[in-house]
Amino acid sequence: MIDLGDPTPVPVLARQAPRHRPAPRLRPAGRPRTSRARSSRKEGSVVPLHITAVQAMEILDSRSRPTLSVSVGLADGNTARAGVPSGASTGSGEALELRDHDASRYGGAGVRTAVGHVNGEIAAALCGRDFAGLSALDQALIDLDGTPDKSRLGANAIVGVSMAAARAAAGQAGVPLWQGLATDGATARLPVPHFNVLNGGAHAPNPLDFQEFMIAPLGAPGIAEAVRAGSEVYAALRRRLAEAGHTTGLGDEGGFAPDLAEPEEALRVIVQAITDAGYEPGTGGVAIALDPAASEFRQPDGTYRVNGQVLTTSDMITRYRQIVDEFPVWSIEDGLGEDDDTGWAELTGALGERVQLVGDDNFVTNPAIITRAVQDGIANAALIKLNQIGTVTETLHALEVCRKAGYGAMVSHRSGETDDTFIADLAVASGCGRIKSGAPARGERVAKYNRLMEIGHRHPDLPYGLGR
Ligand code: PGA
Ligand code: ZN
């Protein structure tokens, strides 16, 4: 059981935060600062960690860009590895992904600097030390970095260490990762997978401005049946697209990337595919979820450009209302730009009772931002991405904020992924009831769904579904 400690307010990442700050003074080597560590200790519930090794290397992600593989070793002999994900349509408030900017390697996208930070400063600071639990270790990483956006050591370096340490800690406790990630008040459940079957926006070279068209088997009786539905609809969609003369090439998240330009055209063919595969379109069977990723097509003058049309915020809201009226869309993520605050409030007022409205680029998995959004009545759910905030503990805090507020939460992959399946266990542990991990195709996407099926197979007692 991970004790999240006191609900310490997490600093809001300043939008305009300087990317590089002077290095903070390092505390002398030795025991960690104990106040936080002590507050995290809870008899019998926190696994003490003695770190013996921390190592990283540069590997490739699913888009052929460098990322980190990090391993953490514990004194009891447990060692675990983590692969770090990487986004393309990122929110401006995300913790900083450190890249080398050395144009002679990988077009500047190398991560040797971040690898060097893990193998050097982070390893030196952690090895040989005891931590009361994962939250104490994550706090030590945050303190060592010393910046609000983890830009000194790199959020990619820090999140890799945090994920590997969480996995090693579960190994030490002799439990599967999802049980190791358990927190007070959360009840484990298998989430509804949201399969991204049609890609556009920053994830595909087609003219489609909306980024993600997902299918969500809300009506499935269990995770195995949900995965089967996702795969069967995906196959039916391939047939429909091929028959209509479209290319069936894939986008970054494994969904098809046909030459469709209007979002409604894409929705129409997806509904046909759901029916072709023998499922009922809608919340009783297979529903649709959208992630337009609207920040990507918001213009400097505040308008939105969809298939060449210039739309105001209220035009966009009208468009979404028509979409929800016509199609079985149950969830819309990033329907408006990350800085369109008044628009988000209007959108929530207009559609918040009818559909799930998910904040991603505007919330960046930051517990303080989500807390404020809950208070301000912005959206009704948050997307949860480990590398947006940069440690497992802060990610668990974000999930806890959502749970306590009765707000939805959807655990998410990134468009650049590895074979790491951490998010499957995270979704199960939190009981949030929703996950998105791309298409039911391509190894790095399928790995997460297969892990969910494995958990479901081993624990048939775990419930499946949204949970409310
Ligand atoms: P990204 O896209 O990983 O490229 O940021 C995912 C999303 O927008 O949800
Ligand atoms: Zn998104």
Side-chain angles (χ1 to χ4, degrees):
M1 176 81 68
I2 292 177
D3 183 355
L4 295 175
D6 305 327
T8 320
V10 176
V12 175
L13 301 183
R15 286 245 157 85
Q16 305 301 335
R19 284 310 194 190
H20 296 285
R21 305 204 158 192
R25 264 186 305 123
L26 301 179
R27 276 177 285 113
R31 309 268 322 161
R33 191 183 292 165
T34 49
S35 57
R36 170 88 188 190
R38 234 184 258 127
S39 74
S40 304
R41 201 188 305 267
K42 203 176 169 191
E43 269 310 308
S45 69
V46 173
V47 183
L49 305 174
H50 182 87
I51 309 284
T52 54
V54 181
Q55 276 181 339
M57 63 176 279
E58 195 176 54
I59 60 166
L60 289 185
D61 74 11
S62 55
R63 265 195 291 244
S64 197
R65 281 159 57 89
T67 188
L68 291 90
S69 171
V70 180
S71 67
V72 167
L74 301 179
D76 77 330
N78 265 288
T79 298
R81 190 190 74 85
V84 176
S86 170
S89 63
T90 50
S92 62
E94 293 195 19
L96 183 100
E97 182 180 82
L98 193 60
R99 299 238 174 231
D100 297 339
H101 303 295
D102 167 4
S104 69
R105 296 184 72 252
Y106 292 112
V111 292
R112 276 185 176 171
T113 316
V115 165
H117 288 159
V118 175
N119 292 339
E121 207 177 313
I122 293 176
L126 301 188
C127 290
R129 279 174 56 179
D130 287 308
F131 294 93
L134 187 69
S135 60
L137 187 145
D138 283 344
Q139 189 59 47
L141 289 168
I142 291 166
D143 292 346
L144 182 66
D145 174 78
T147 69
D149 59 355
K150 301 183 177 66
S151 54
R152 196 179 72 78
L153 297 172
N156 41 354
I158 292 171
V159 81
V161 174
S162 180
M163 290 163 69
R167 192 172 264 138
Q172 176 178 286
V175 296
L177 178 58
W178 64 272
Q179 285 176 6
L181 294 174
T183 54
D184 264 349
T187 309
R189 72 171 34 246
L190 290 155
V192 176
H194 287 61
F195 301 102
N196 185 4
V197 292
L198 209 146
N199 295 183
H203 296 165
N206 58 5
L208 198 56
D209 292 304
F210 282 19
Q211 180 177 281
E212 299 173 22
F213 293 77
M214 294 168 273
I215 51 167
L218 299 181
I223 186 66
E225 293 84 352
V227 171
R228 176 182 159 199
S231 172
E232 290 176 354
V233 174
Y234 185 74
L237 182 59
R238 183 193 280 115
R239 282 193 294 274
R240 276 275 174 187
L241 291 170
E243 275 164 26
H246 291 296
T247 154
T248 52
L250 305 182
D252 287 354
E253 297 190 349
F256 302 112
D259 258 8
L260 298 173
E262 287 288 353
E264 290 79 359
E265 281 182 86
L267 285 164
R268 211 158 284 130
V269 67
I270 291 169
V271 172
Q272 288 168 341
I274 293 171
T275 309
D276 288 352
Y279 295 93
E280 177 196 327
T283 51
V286 178
I288 296 176
L290 294 176
D291 178 8
S295 297
E296 297 290 317
F297 53 84
R298 187 159 202 234
Q299 306 301 305
D301 66 0
T303 61
Y304 296 85
R305 191 172 284 266
V306 179
N307 190 21
Q309 275 181 282
V310 176
L311 303 175
T312 63
T313 295
S314 68
D315 292 337
M316 286 295 291
I317 294 171
T318 302
R319 184 87 173 253
Y320 289 132
R321 186 185 280 117
Q322 287 164 350
I323 283 176
V324 170
D325 285 344
E326 192 180 344
F327 300 100
V329 168
W330 96 276
S331 175
I332 302 172
E333 173 188 330
D334 279 355
L336 295 172
E338 65 169 40
D339 52 356
D340 191 353
D341 292 338
T342 53
W344 269 97
E346 281 170 46
L347 176 64
T348 309
L351 289 177
E353 297 290 313
R354 294 180 61 188
V355 292
Q356 173 174 268
L357 296 171
V358 188
D360 171 16
D361 287 353
N362 49 346
F363 295 170
V364 292
T365 314
N366 186 311
I369 295 177
I370 298 170
T371 300
R372 209 168 51 215
V374 168
Q375 283 159 3
D376 294 350
I378 302 288
N380 54 30
L383 205 70
I384 302 292
K385 293 166 167 169
L386 286 150
N387 75 328
Q388 278 186 328
I389 188 72
T391 62
V392 173
T393 301
E394 289 165 289
T395 305
L396 292 170
H397 261 134
L399 284 157
E400 184 186 44
V401 167
C402 294
R403 189 177 64 250
K404 288 189 170 162
Y407 212 61
M410 188 186 306
V411 169
S412 172
H413 67 153
R414 297 309 301 248
S415 49
E417 268 292 338
T418 72
D419 57 356
D420 192 297
T421 58
F422 195 103
I423 59 166
D425 287 70
L426 178 65
V428 171
S430 72
C432 70
R434 305 132 170 87
I435 190 171
K436 69 169 192 175
S437 178
R442 292 182 43 149
E444 76 282 4
R445 313 293 150 186
V446 160
K448 283 70 163 173
Y449 298 129
N450 285 344
R451 171 67 182 150
L452 290 175
M453 288 200 288
E454 183 190 357
I455 296 172
H457 181 71
R458 291 198 184 159
H459 303 272
D461 46 321
L462 280 176
Y464 163 83
L466 297 178
R468 66 192 175 84

PDB file of all heavy atoms in Angstrom, residues 203-223:
ATOM      1  N   HIS A 203      -0.763  12.809 -35.151  1.00  0.00           N
ATOM      2  CA  HIS A 203      -0.374  11.393 -35.157  1.00  0.00           C
ATOM      3  C   HIS A 203      -0.473  10.740 -36.529  1.00  0.00           C
ATOM      4  O   HIS A 203      -0.268   9.528 -36.653  1.00  0.00           O
ATOM      5  CB  HIS A 203      -1.231  10.607 -34.159  1.00  0.00           C
ATOM      6  CG  HIS A 203      -1.032  11.036 -32.739  1.00  0.00           C
ATOM      7  ND1 HIS A 203      -1.892  10.696 -31.731  1.00  0.00           N
ATOM      8  CD2 HIS A 203      -0.066  11.791 -32.166  1.00  0.00           C
ATOM      9  CE1 HIS A 203      -1.467  11.224 -30.593  1.00  0.00           C
ATOM     10  NE2 HIS A 203      -0.372  11.899 -30.835  1.00  0.00           N
ATOM     11  N   ALA A 204      -0.851  11.498 -37.558  1.00  0.00           N
ATOM     12  CA  ALA A 204      -1.012  10.905 -38.886  1.00  0.00           C
ATOM     13  C   ALA A 204      -0.833  11.992 -39.953  1.00  0.00           C
ATOM     14  O   ALA A 204      -1.116  13.169 -39.694  1.00  0.00           O
ATOM     15  CB  ALA A 204      -2.396  10.274 -39.009  1.00  0.00           C
ATOM     16  N   PRO A 205      -0.395  11.589 -41.143  1.00  0.00           N
ATOM     17  CA  PRO A 205      -0.171  12.594 -42.199  1.00  0.00           C
ATOM     18  C   PRO A 205      -1.416  12.890 -43.027  1.00  0.00           C
ATOM     19  O   PRO A 205      -1.321  13.530 -44.058  1.00  0.00           O
ATOM     20  CB  PRO A 205       0.921  11.922 -43.051  1.00  0.00           C
ATOM     21  CG  PRO A 205       0.716  10.456 -42.867  1.00  0.00           C
ATOM     22  CD  PRO A 205       0.062  10.250 -41.535  1.00  0.00           C
ATOM     23  N   ASN A 206      -2.594  12.412 -42.601  1.00  0.00           N
ATOM     24  CA  ASN A 206      -3.828  12.630 -43.374  1.00  0.00           C
ATOM     25  C   ASN A 206      -4.407  14.022 -43.081  1.00  0.00           C
ATOM     26  O   ASN A 206      -3.921  14.729 -42.194  1.00  0.00           O
ATOM     27  CB  ASN A 206      -4.849  11.519 -43.032  1.00  0.00           C
ATOM     28  CG  ASN A 206      -5.175  11.472 -41.551  1.00  0.00           C
ATOM     29  OD1 ASN A 206      -4.724  12.311 -40.790  1.00  0.00           O
ATOM     30  ND2 ASN A 206      -5.945  10.490 -41.138  1.00  0.00           N
ATOM     31  N   PRO A 207      -5.455  14.439 -43.814  1.00  0.00           N
ATOM     32  CA  PRO A 207      -5.993  15.797 -43.609  1.00  0.00           C
ATOM     33  C   PRO A 207      -6.926  15.944 -42.409  1.00  0.00           C
ATOM     34  O   PRO A 207      -7.485  17.017 -42.183  1.00  0.00           O
ATOM     35  CB  PRO A 207      -6.752  16.074 -44.918  1.00  0.00           C
ATOM     36  CG  PRO A 207      -7.096  14.742 -45.467  1.00  0.00           C
ATOM     37  CD  PRO A 207      -6.105  13.753 -44.942  1.00  0.00           C
ATOM     38  N   LEU A 208      -7.119  14.899 -41.631  1.00  0.00           N
ATOM     39  CA  LEU A 208      -8.072  14.906 -40.512  1.00  0.00           C
ATOM     40  C   LEU A 208      -7.502  15.711 -39.347  1.00  0.00           C
ATOM     41  O   LEU A 208      -6.426  15.399 -38.851  1.00  0.00           O
ATOM     42  CB  LEU A 208      -8.315  13.446 -40.104  1.00  0.00           C
ATOM     43  CG  LEU A 208      -9.531  13.091 -39.275  1.00  0.00           C
ATOM     44  CD1 LEU A 208     -10.826  13.548 -39.929  1.00  0.00           C
ATOM     45  CD2 LEU A 208      -9.563  11.564 -39.085  1.00  0.00           C
ATOM     46  N   ASP A 209      -8.231  16.742 -38.932  1.00  0.00           N
ATOM     47  CA  ASP A 209      -7.711  17.594 -37.850  1.00  0.00           C
ATOM     48  C   ASP A 209      -7.922  16.987 -36.470  1.00  0.00           C
ATOM     49  O   ASP A 209      -7.127  17.237 -35.563  1.00  0.00           O
ATOM     50  CB  ASP A 209      -8.364  18.980 -37.924  1.00  0.00           C
ATOM     51  CG  ASP A 209      -7.909  19.724 -39.168  1.00  0.00           C
ATOM     52  OD1 ASP A 209      -6.691  19.879 -39.342  1.00  0.00           O
ATOM     53  OD2 ASP A 209      -8.764  20.120 -39.976  1.00  0.00           O
ATOM     54  N   PHE A 210      -9.009  16.231 -36.279  1.00  0.00           N
ATOM     55  CA  PHE A 210      -9.227  15.581 -34.984  1.00  0.00           C
ATOM     56  C   PHE A 210      -8.209  14.447 -34.839  1.00  0.00           C
ATOM     57  O   PHE A 210      -8.017  13.650 -35.757  1.00  0.00           O
ATOM     58  CB  PHE A 210     -10.653  15.011 -34.872  1.00  0.00           C
ATOM     59  CG  PHE A 210     -11.733  16.033 -34.573  1.00  0.00           C
ATOM     60  CD1 PHE A 210     -11.526  17.391 -34.791  1.00  0.00           C
ATOM     61  CD2 PHE A 210     -12.965  15.634 -34.068  1.00  0.00           C
ATOM     62  CE1 PHE A 210     -12.524  18.332 -34.530  1.00  0.00           C
ATOM     63  CE2 PHE A 210     -13.973  16.559 -33.795  1.00  0.00           C
ATOM     64  CZ  PHE A 210     -13.752  17.909 -34.023  1.00  0.00           C
ATOM     65  N   GLN A 211      -7.605  14.357 -33.662  1.00  0.00           N
ATOM     66  CA  GLN A 211      -6.470  13.441 -33.487  1.00  0.00           C
ATOM     67  C   GLN A 211      -6.866  11.971 -33.253  1.00  0.00           C
ATOM     68  O   GLN A 211      -6.260  11.068 -33.804  1.00  0.00           O
ATOM     69  CB  GLN A 211      -5.648  13.936 -32.295  1.00  0.00           C
ATOM     70  CG  GLN A 211      -4.422  13.122 -31.955  1.00  0.00           C
ATOM     71  CD  GLN A 211      -3.647  13.752 -30.803  1.00  0.00           C
ATOM     72  OE1 GLN A 211      -2.919  14.703 -31.005  1.00  0.00           O
ATOM     73  NE2 GLN A 211      -3.820  13.228 -29.600  1.00  0.00           N
ATOM     74  N   GLU A 212      -7.869  11.744 -32.405  1.00  0.00           N
ATOM     75  CA  GLU A 212      -8.159  10.354 -32.009  1.00  0.00           C
ATOM     76  C   GLU A 212      -9.650  10.042 -32.057  1.00  0.00           C
ATOM     77  O   GLU A 212     -10.470  10.794 -31.510  1.00  0.00           O
ATOM     78  CB  GLU A 212      -7.647  10.098 -30.578  1.00  0.00           C
ATOM     79  CG  GLU A 212      -6.151  10.289 -30.470  1.00  0.00           C
ATOM     80  CD  GLU A 212      -5.631  10.217 -29.036  1.00  0.00           C
ATOM     81  OE1 GLU A 212      -6.316   9.622 -28.180  1.00  0.00           O
ATOM     82  OE2 GLU A 212      -4.550  10.774 -28.798  1.00  0.00           O
ATOM     83  N   PHE A 213      -9.964   8.909 -32.684  1.00  0.00           N
ATOM     84  CA  PHE A 213     -11.320   8.373 -32.699  1.00  0.00           C
ATOM     85  C   PHE A 213     -11.237   7.007 -32.030  1.00  0.00           C
ATOM     86  O   PHE A 213     -10.653   6.071 -32.579  1.00  0.00           O
ATOM     87  CB  PHE A 213     -11.828   8.240 -34.138  1.00  0.00           C
ATOM     88  CG  PHE A 213     -12.020   9.568 -34.836  1.00  0.00           C
ATOM     89  CD1 PHE A 213     -10.924  10.270 -35.327  1.00  0.00           C
ATOM     90  CD2 PHE A 213     -13.288  10.121 -34.979  1.00  0.00           C
ATOM     91  CE1 PHE A 213     -11.087  11.504 -35.949  1.00  0.00           C
ATOM     92  CE2 PHE A 213     -13.463  11.353 -35.600  1.00  0.00           C
ATOM     93  CZ  PHE A 213     -12.360  12.040 -36.085  1.00  0.00           C
ATOM     94  N   MET A 214     -11.797   6.919 -30.822  1.00  0.00           N
ATOM     95  CA  MET A 214     -11.654   5.685 -30.036  1.00  0.00           C
ATOM     96  C   MET A 214     -12.983   4.946 -29.919  1.00  0.00           C
ATOM     97  O   MET A 214     -14.047   5.569 -29.934  1.00  0.00           O
ATOM     98  CB  MET A 214     -11.156   6.033 -28.616  1.00  0.00           C
ATOM     99  CG  MET A 214      -9.752   6.599 -28.597  1.00  0.00           C
ATOM    100  SD  MET A 214      -9.306   7.326 -26.985  1.00  0.00           S
ATOM    101  CE  MET A 214      -9.914   9.002 -27.164  1.00  0.00           C
ATOM    102  N   ILE A 215     -12.892   3.624 -29.776  1.00  0.00           N
ATOM    103  CA  ILE A 215     -14.078   2.822 -29.476  1.00  0.00           C
ATOM    104  C   ILE A 215     -13.927   2.253 -28.067  1.00  0.00           C
ATOM    105  O   ILE A 215     -12.855   1.812 -27.675  1.00  0.00           O
ATOM    106  CB  ILE A 215     -14.288   1.695 -30.516  1.00  0.00           C
ATOM    107  CG1 ILE A 215     -13.010   0.879 -30.712  1.00  0.00           C
ATOM    108  CG2 ILE A 215     -14.761   2.277 -31.848  1.00  0.00           C
ATOM    109  CD1 ILE A 215     -13.232  -0.411 -31.481  1.00  0.00           C
ATOM    110  N   ALA A 216     -15.015   2.319 -27.309  1.00  0.00           N
ATOM    111  CA  ALA A 216     -14.990   1.934 -25.897  1.00  0.00           C
ATOM    112  C   ALA A 216     -16.101   0.920 -25.623  1.00  0.00           C
ATOM    113  O   ALA A 216     -17.282   1.288 -25.610  1.00  0.00           O
ATOM    114  CB  ALA A 216     -15.187   3.176 -25.024  1.00  0.00           C
ATOM    115  N   PRO A 217     -15.758  -0.356 -25.422  1.00  0.00           N
ATOM    116  CA  PRO A 217     -16.781  -1.377 -25.167  1.00  0.00           C
ATOM    117  C   PRO A 217     -17.336  -1.275 -23.739  1.00  0.00           C
ATOM    118  O   PRO A 217     -17.090  -2.129 -22.890  1.00  0.00           O
ATOM    119  CB  PRO A 217     -16.033  -2.699 -25.388  1.00  0.00           C
ATOM    120  CG  PRO A 217     -14.721  -2.336 -26.010  1.00  0.00           C
ATOM    121  CD  PRO A 217     -14.418  -0.953 -25.539  1.00  0.00           C
ATOM    122  N   LEU A 218     -18.127  -0.225 -23.500  1.00  0.00           N
ATOM    123  CA  LEU A 218     -18.682   0.010 -22.158  1.00  0.00           C
ATOM    124  C   LEU A 218     -19.613  -1.121 -21.747  1.00  0.00           C
ATOM    125  O   LEU A 218     -19.761  -1.422 -20.564  1.00  0.00           O
ATOM    126  CB  LEU A 218     -19.466   1.333 -22.123  1.00  0.00           C
ATOM    127  CG  LEU A 218     -18.716   2.623 -22.441  1.00  0.00           C
ATOM    128  CD1 LEU A 218     -19.649   3.818 -22.328  1.00  0.00           C
ATOM    129  CD2 LEU A 218     -17.536   2.817 -21.518  1.00  0.00           C
ATOM    130  N   GLY A 219     -20.245  -1.741 -22.745  1.00  0.00           N
ATOM    131  CA  GLY A 219     -21.247  -2.760 -22.430  1.00  0.00           C
ATOM    132  C   GLY A 219     -20.680  -4.166 -22.327  1.00  0.00           C
ATOM    133  O   GLY A 219     -21.429  -5.120 -22.093  1.00  0.00           O
ATOM    134  N   ALA A 220     -19.372  -4.317 -22.493  1.00  0.00           N
ATOM    135  CA  ALA A 220     -18.777  -5.665 -22.432  1.00  0.00           C
ATOM    136  C   ALA A 220     -18.882  -6.214 -21.011  1.00  0.00           C
ATOM    137  O   ALA A 220     -18.816  -5.458 -20.045  1.00  0.00           O
ATOM    138  CB  ALA A 220     -17.319  -5.614 -22.873  1.00  0.00           C
ATOM    139  N   PRO A 221     -19.027  -7.536 -20.883  1.00  0.00           N
ATOM    140  CA  PRO A 221     -19.132  -8.109 -19.537  1.00  0.00           C
ATOM    141  C   PRO A 221     -17.798  -8.227 -18.808  1.00  0.00           C
ATOM    142  O   PRO A 221     -17.769  -8.391 -17.592  1.00  0.00           O
ATOM    143  CB  PRO A 221     -19.722  -9.501 -19.790  1.00  0.00           C
ATOM    144  CG  PRO A 221     -19.386  -9.815 -21.210  1.00  0.00           C
ATOM    145  CD  PRO A 221     -19.286  -8.513 -21.941  1.00  0.00           C
ATOM    146  N   GLY A 222     -16.679  -8.133 -19.544  1.00  0.00           N
ATOM    147  CA  GLY A 222     -15.369  -8.273 -18.896  1.00  0.00           C
ATOM    148  C   GLY A 222     -14.273  -7.804 -19.825  1.00  0.00           C
ATOM    149  O   GLY A 222     -14.526  -7.458 -20.980  1.00  0.00           O
ATOM    150  N   ILE A 223     -13.041  -7.818 -19.324  1.00  0.00           N
ATOM    151  CA  ILE A 223     -11.927  -7.263 -20.098  1.00  0.00           C
ATOM    152  C   ILE A 223     -11.635  -8.093 -21.349  1.00  0.00           C
ATOM    153  O   ILE A 223     -11.352  -7.543 -22.424  1.00  0.00           O
ATOM    154  CB  ILE A 223     -10.660  -7.076 -19.217  1.00  0.00           C
ATOM    155  CG1 ILE A 223      -9.552  -6.357 -20.004  1.00  0.00           C
ATOM    156  CG2 ILE A 223     -10.154  -8.384 -18.656  1.00  0.00           C
ATOM    157  CD1 ILE A 223      -9.836  -4.936 -20.405  1.00  0.00           C
TER     158      ILE A 223
END
